[in-house]
Amino acid sequence: MIKKIFLLAISFAFLITGCSTNKSPIENTTIPSPTISIDNVSSTEIPVLENNEFLAMFPEITYTAKMIDGRIPILESYLDNGQLNKPLVIMVHGANGNKEAMGYLQGLFSQNGFYVISLDLRSHGEREIEKVTFHDVLISTGEDIDKVIEYASTNEQIDAENFGMLGFSMGGMICYWYTANGKYTPKIIAPISSTPDWSQIQDSYLVDLLFENGNSEVVADNHQQEVEKMLDSSPINNLDKFMNTTIIIGHGGLDDLIYPIGDQTFYQTMLSMNHPKIEYHEFPDVQHHTPNDFIPIMVNTFTNALNPKP
């Protein structure tokens, strides 16, 4: 049984009432995901950054930071109860964020039987790398997620083939892209305040963001070239790839950074294609945030999709 979730106020500051629409499951042909490669991905333990409130909020949860493959900082969280083969949830932060930004959600999911891993995206958090564009981060993260899954597959506490993804804003766009183009197929994704239709942001400053060592600036010198890359890479170009993944979408109705229209249109399109398991939840009074009321919905839906053991 799902533990009662106390919605503690960190960055999730607005309690609101959500409205949702969903479609009942139907028969669907399953395309198997490739067998996970065992490449002996290296890992070295690194300190968990101090002064993170989630460490005190979830004292029963083990948080461990590591550097995997010599270049990808990750934050793991799990309930150390001796249970093996926990479902894997990969969490992806937004632009100018870091892996610790997902620490609160990691604690909640870990309480409910999941093994959770978040990662620093390129030129974010503890990850120092050359300048990268917004588009570069979106696409290159696919290789990083491959490594996270392959690293997780060597841990007996994790069932890496039974995995889902959750992401906020840019992280949600990465969830969409990986489902459409990634090496492995997630069983469930939860994009938050995001869009799978990258033409939607072609006039936004987001396209022109340039990241370097945890900072960003707007550089519009190559705007049209970056727009063309975004259009070519847009996840809606591969809609059929979404048919075997449970999708639960959350968006604030007042979001004026990434408007809800992209998620709304995608939801209606997938319904017209008879997608078996998709939900769209819009929260009318929420701006570009993770809606508080969406959190327990996600935990319950991930539980139904990945079936963690108590």
Side-chain angles (χ1 to χ4, degrees):
M1 180 178 291
I2 301 299
K3 296 181 180 179
K4 183 177 181 181
I5 299 173
F6 294 92
L7 301 179
L8 306 172
I10 304 178
S11 58
F12 311 107
F14 302 98
L15 286 171
I16 41 76
T17 301
C19 59
S20 64
T21 316
N22 58 69
K23 185 174 180 64
S24 300
I26 62 170
E27 291 296 324
N28 189 46
T29 302
T30 299
I31 302 173
S33 185
T35 301
I36 294 174
S37 302
I38 306 297
D39 291 331
N40 294 320
V41 178
S42 63
S43 66
T44 304
E45 191 161 333
I46 58 178
V48 177
L49 295 182
E50 298 179 355
N51 301 320
N52 283 296
E53 295 183 38
F54 60 80
L55 296 174
M57 290 178 172
F58 303 100
E60 76 280 21
I61 300 302
T62 299
Y63 287 91
T64 306
K66 291 181 180 177
M67 184 75 69
I68 67 169
D69 200 38
R71 61 189 178 86
I72 308 171
I74 65 169
L75 180 67
E76 300 174 290
S77 63
Y78 60 95
L79 185 63
D80 191 4
N81 58 359
Q83 182 65 56
L84 304 181
N85 296 315
K86 292 180 172 70
L88 172 65
V89 177
I90 299 170
M91 296 191 177
V92 191
H93 63 75
N96 299 317
N98 57 30
K99 60 187 181 302
E100 285 77 19
M102 311 306 290
Y104 172 73
L105 283 176
Q106 287 194 229
L108 289 177
F109 274 74
S110 296
Q111 279 184 331
N112 287 282
F114 299 97
Y115 198 107
V116 188
I117 300 178
S118 61
L119 68 157
D120 280 335
L121 302 181
R122 301 188 182 198
S123 285
H124 287 75
E126 296 180 278
R127 191 164 180 182
E128 296 183 0
I129 200 168
E130 70 278 2
K131 290 183 180 180
V132 289
T133 66
F134 186 77
H135 176 267
D136 290 339
V137 174
L138 292 175
I139 305 307
S140 64
T141 301
E143 297 177 1
D144 300 338
I145 291 170
D146 292 344
K147 290 297 182 183
V148 168
I149 294 170
E150 288 158 11
Y151 158 77
S153 69
T154 65
N155 186 335
E156 65 179 4
Q157 293 192 65
I158 308 174
D159 180 0
E161 294 187 356
N162 188 26
F163 83 97
M165 297 177 63
L166 178 158
F168 172 73
S169 190
M170 180 172 73
M173 295 173 70
I174 290 169
C175 290
Y176 277 128
W177 185 90
Y178 192 83
T179 306
N181 301 281
K183 183 176 180 180
Y184 306 111
T185 303
K187 290 188 176 180
I188 180 172
I189 60 170
I192 308 165
S193 302
S194 184
T195 180
D197 181 2
W198 294 358
S199 67
Q200 181 187 343
I201 62 169
Q202 62 183 313
D203 296 323
S204 168
Y205 75 90
L206 292 173
V207 175
D208 300 316
L209 282 179
L210 192 66
F211 300 100
E212 184 177 22
N213 294 338
N215 300 305
S216 65
E217 60 178 332
V218 177
V219 179
D221 296 347
N222 299 310
H223 178 79
Q224 191 55 43
Q225 180 180 349
E226 292 302 311
V227 167
E228 291 173 2
K229 290 180 183 177
M230 295 290 290
L231 296 179
D232 288 343
S233 306
S234 183
I236 63 168
N237 297 335
N238 293 315
L239 288 178
D240 59 310
K241 295 293 185 68
F242 290 93
M243 296 302 292
N244 296 298
T245 297
T246 297
I247 306 170
I248 176 170
I249 304 165
H251 216 123
L254 299 180
D255 191 339
D256 59 359
L257 180 61
I258 301 178
Y259 292 100
I261 184 65
D263 277 340
Q264 294 168 348
T265 303
F266 172 74
Y267 171 69
Q268 293 297 333
T269 300
M270 297 312 294
L271 286 183
S272 71
M273 294 173 62
N274 293 320
H275 190 287
K277 296 179 183 179
I278 185 168
E279 299 178 15
Y280 174 75
H281 300 261
E282 187 167 310
F283 302 85
D285 300 322
V286 176
Q287 298 177 329
H288 194 66
H289 303 289
T290 298
N292 271 348
D293 285 356
F294 190 48
I295 297 172
I297 296 171
M298 287 191 292
V299 173
N300 278 288
T301 307
F302 271 69
T303 297
N304 290 335
L306 301 181
N307 193 29
K309 297 178 181 178

